[in-house]
Structures are given as structure tokens and as C-alpha cells.
Amino acid sequence: APEVPDQLKFTAKTVDGKDLNGADLAGKPVVLWFWAPWCPKCQREAPGMAAASKEHSGKVTFLGVAAQDKIPAMQQFVQKYNLQSFQHVADEDSAVWKRFGVTAQPAYAFIDASGKVDIVTSQLSEQDLKQRLSTLA
């Protein structure tokens, strides 16, 4: 079994009410995107994240982690920006954010197949994101 980084040892509900076990993501490249529905930067980033998740489909697992709001607002955000191509955690109590040391959005965690975790707590340009994804996959 792959090495499971401590940060992925969580269980959560997705915005559509499914159970998600973070440990299941271990062993392949993963990108976590930390967002909030009301955040203007996140709104601007959403189309790029949707496109990137489709482009890297089958190679990199994308997971959104939404916090600082209620589930209906999170669901509206996912629908409005067509983010259904990947799952999103409804992190209402910010527990997953805390596991990754994230306090503000947008932020990202890049986890490679060996379990190395790289956390970025500032906004990435689309170019930076592409660069990181190409080295991850």
C-alpha cells in the first residue's frame, strides 16, 4: 500500500453529500484546491481549475476543499463554474484546511505519488499551475 501522508488521513463529506476518505487519494498525484464560495480570487480561478482537471484527467486527482460558508453556497459555486469534473469537500468546520495549515484562500496542496506534500498558500497564475501540474503528473 502507498505511504499515506498524515494530511490525507481525514474523512469528510463532499458538497453533494458523499463520504470521502482522504487516504484513498494516496499513491497517485493529487492537487487540493482550497476555496470559499464568496472569494473573488477563487471565482476567477474556477474556470482554470475546471479546465486543468479535465486536461489532467486520469493522471492527477483534483480535490476542491470548500470552507468558510454553508453547503448551499458551495453547491451553487460548483454549478455556476462547472466544477463537477472533480470532487469537493464541504469543509464546514475548516478541519481539512487546518490539517494542511491553510488559513486563507485560495491555497493549494500538491501531493506526488510518493506522498511528498507541497503546500502553496498564495494564488498561483495559470502558468504556475500548469508548470506544477506537469512536474507532478
Side-chain angles (χ1 to χ4, degrees), residues 26-38:
K28 46 191 183 292
V30 185
V31 179
L32 288 84
W33 175 45
F34 299 88
W35 58 270
W38 46 263

Side-chain angles (χ1 to χ4, degrees), residues 15-103:
V15 294
D16 48 7
K18 297 194 179 82
D19 290 307
L20 183 131
N21 186 349
D24 292 344
L25 302 171
K28 46 191 183 292
V30 185
V31 179
L32 288 84
W33 175 45
F34 299 88
W35 58 270
W38 46 263
C39 156
K41 285 181 182 172
C42 304
Q43 291 162 11
R44 285 198 295 275
E45 278 187 306
M49 293 304 286
S53 76
K54 292 191 184 93
E55 189 184 329
H56 294 273
S57 177
K59 296 192 288 285
V60 179
T61 304
F62 281 65
L63 182 68
V65 187
Q68 302 184 344
D69 213 332
K70 298 274 173 266
I71 288 174
M74 297 173 181
Q75 290 169 334
Q76 282 172 330
F77 183 94
V78 169
Q79 281 164 346
K80 181 175 182 183
Y81 296 102
N82 293 315
L83 293 165
Q84 297 90 339
S85 54
F86 58 103
Q87 287 188 299
H88 301 269
V89 169
D91 194 22
E92 284 186 291
D93 57 0
S94 297
V96 180
W97 280 37
K98 288 192 188 92
R99 292 192 79 83
F100 284 88
V102 170
T103 53

